[in-house]
Amino acid sequence: MRLLVRERLFAVGDDYWIEDTEGRKVFLVDGKAMRLRDTFELKDAQGRILIELRQKLISLRDTMVIERDGRQLAEVRRKRLSLLRNHYRVTLVEGTELDVSGRILDREFAIDYDGELLAQISRRRLTVRDTYGIDVVREDADAALMIAVSMCVIVLADKEG
């Protein structure tokens, strides 16, 4: 599954559509303004909330929390002792860990589980300015979760950069 995301997607308080390669609106990102922390809702095309993302208020390192149906699904934070590249760790509630690494600020990074690629985020091969693609590689990967993870690491990296 290939999805196209406009760069200005992460402005809190604005709503943006994530489209497929045919231009169909697949997911709506609803940025919640007037909050103490960054908060977003990822909705399907019918407006149902699939995933909520918010910055954790109190933590030693910047952390984003991903929730589904009011329950925490995952936490995203920068991996410690990562000197060469941007590297983030996603810890799912059941203990599974995903790795996110690459050039986050350039929108060139990958999400993998135990060395197996789940999703690739890239601006390459796109002619539309300020747009990047999210390629969900594995058929059984949760596309909404891959988008949420991508959003979290971009928000965290933008704050650091």
Side-chain angles (χ1 to χ4, degrees):
M1 171 185 279
R2 180 153 227 220
L3 303 166
L4 301 176
V5 183
R6 303 279 180 250
E7 185 63 55
R8 57 191 179 122
L9 169 80
F10 304 111
V12 175
D14 291 332
D15 298 343
Y16 297 96
W17 285 99
I18 296 174
E19 301 172 350
D20 65 11
T21 54
E22 306 298 317
R24 291 183 297 255
K25 296 175 180 177
V26 182
F27 296 102
L28 174 67
V29 177
D30 185 359
K32 299 296 182 181
M34 307 303 289
R35 305 274 173 104
L36 290 175
R37 56 191 170 186
D38 289 338
T39 303
F40 303 92
E41 291 176 345
L42 183 63
K43 299 178 180 180
D44 65 12
Q46 290 73 40
R48 292 183 296 251
I49 298 172
L50 301 174
I51 291 183
E52 295 177 76
L53 303 93
R54 72 175 58 86
Q55 186 172 13
K56 202 171 187 178
L57 280 178
I58 300 173
S59 64
L60 294 175
R61 291 180 291 161
D62 283 341
T63 303
M64 296 284 294
V65 175
I66 300 172
E67 294 180 349
R68 180 176 277 154
D69 298 324
R71 291 186 299 275
Q72 185 170 322
L73 180 62
E75 284 190 354
V76 180
R77 65 176 50 103
R78 185 174 171 85
K79 188 174 179 181
R80 282 189 242 167
L81 305 175
S82 178
L83 302 175
L84 299 178
R85 302 178 353 164
N86 287 325
H87 200 143
Y88 290 81
R89 167 106 354 114
V90 180
T91 306
L92 300 174
V93 173
E94 76 270 359
T96 303
E97 291 187 343
L98 307 178
D99 285 316
V100 181
S101 61
R103 296 183 324 271
I104 309 296
L105 294 175
D106 292 334
R107 306 312 187 245
E108 297 289 338
F109 59 95
I111 303 169
D112 66 49
Y113 168 67
D114 203 22
E116 184 177 349
L117 183 64
L118 299 177
Q120 183 76 40
I121 292 73
S122 178
R123 279 193 175 141
R124 280 179 272 156
R125 299 181 312 237
L126 291 176
T127 57
V128 179
R129 211 171 144 249
D130 297 331
T131 300
Y132 61 90
I134 298 177
D135 290 310
V136 180
V137 177
R138 280 192 40 174
E139 293 284 326
D140 61 344
D142 182 343
L145 178 59
M146 296 300 106
I147 293 168
V149 167
S150 300
M151 290 175 63
C152 288
V153 296
I154 289 170
V155 168
L156 290 172
D158 283 349
K159 285 181 183 250
E160 288 177 16

